[in-house]
Amino acid sequence: MEQTFIILKPSTISRSLVGDVITRFQRKGLIIAGIKMMQLDEKILREHYAHLVDRPFFPTLVKSMMATPVIVMVLKGKDVVSVVRAMVGATNCRNAAPGTIRGDFGMSGQENIVHASDSPENAAIEVARFFKPEEIFDYDLATIASIYAPDER
Ligand code: IDP
Ligand code: MG
C-alpha cells in the first residue's frame, strides 16, 4: 500500500497537540509504519524545502522548524498521499477548512502544525530522506478487514 511522510512540526510539539493529531490519523484507519522524534538542522531543511530556499520567509521557516525536536512519521494506506493532504488542509491555517487539521488547530501560515507529502513521488523521496529502511515496519492492523473491503487492499 502507498506511503506518505508526515512531520509534526514544532508548533504541534510546543502546543501539546501531538496526541490530537496522531489520533486523527489513527481514527481514519491509517497505519503508522514508522515514527520517531528528531532534531532537524539547516542541511536537511534546505533539502526538504528546496522549493522555498529563495523565498523571503525561508530563514524564518528554518528557524521555526528547528525550534524544538519534531516527530516524523510514515503513514500507510490506500491513496494515503491524497487522503492525508485532504485531512491536513490548506497551507495557511486561516484559510484551511474547518474539520481539517490545520483548520481546526492553527491560526498561522507558517506555524501550520504538520507537513504532509504532496505526491507519491515526493513521498518516496521524503521517506528515504528521513528514515532508514529498518525504521519502517510492514505489518497489518488486526482491524484491517473492517477498514477496507478485500478488493481495496
Ligand atoms: P505545504 O506545507 O502546504 O505543502 P508549501 O508551499 O510546500 O506548503 O510550504 C512549506 C511550508 O512553508 C508551509 O507548510 C509553511 O510552514 C511555510 N510557508 C509556505 N508559504 C509561506 C508563507 O508565505 N509565509 C510563511 N511561511 C510559509
Ligand atoms: Mg509542500
Side-chain angles (χ1 to χ4, degrees), residues 9 49 51-52 55 57 61 64-65 85 88-92 102 109-112 114-118:
K9 295 186 178 189
Y49 284 140
H51 60 298
L52 299 172
R55 302 292 291 274
F57 59 82
L61 175 62
S64 152
M65 291 296 290
R85 286 288 286 195
V88 165
T91 301
N92 188 322
R102 288 169 173 167
Q110 178 178 277
E111 305 301 324
N112 61 357
V114 287
H115 163 81
S117 305
D118 61 8

Side-chain angles (χ1 to χ4, degrees), residues 1-5 25 28-33 74-84 120 137-141 144 147-148 152-153:
M1 261 194 284
E2 194 171 273
Q3 293 182 345
T4 194
F5 172 71
F25 293 132
K28 180 69 174 165
L30 305 180
I31 298 171
I32 299 173
V74 179
L75 295 176
K76 192 171 79 168
K78 188 171 174 65
D79 302 328
V80 71
V81 171
S82 60
V83 165
V84 167
F137 299 90
D138 189 18
Y139 67 100
D140 262 332
L141 300 176
I144 198 79
I147 297 172
Y148 296 106
E152 293 173 317
R153 271 178 246 159

Side-chain angles (χ1 to χ4, degrees), residues 19-37:
D20 292 282
V21 174
I22 293 176
T23 294
R24 288 198 176 206
F25 293 132
Q26 290 200 296
R27 283 190 178 154
K28 180 69 174 165
L30 305 180
I31 298 171
I32 299 173
I35 184 167
K36 64 181 177 180
M37 186 171 243

Side-chain angles (χ1 to χ4, degrees), residues 84-153:
V84 167
R85 286 288 286 195
M87 290 177 74
V88 165
T91 301
N92 188 322
C93 295
R94 296 192 300 283
N95 300 330
T100 64
I101 290 169
R102 288 169 173 167
D104 287 353
F105 293 142
M107 280 296 288
S108 171
Q110 178 178 277
E111 305 301 324
N112 61 357
I113 313 296
V114 287
H115 163 81
S117 305
D118 61 8
S119 67
E121 296 72 27
N122 282 337
I125 292 168
E126 292 173 356
V127 167
R129 178 179 294 136
F130 287 88
F131 281 86
K132 297 179 190 142
E134 63 267 28
E135 292 173 329
I136 298 168
F137 299 90
D138 189 18
Y139 67 100
D140 262 332
L141 300 176
T143 50
I144 198 79
S146 304
I147 297 172
Y148 296 106
D151 67 344
E152 293 173 317
R153 271 178 246 159

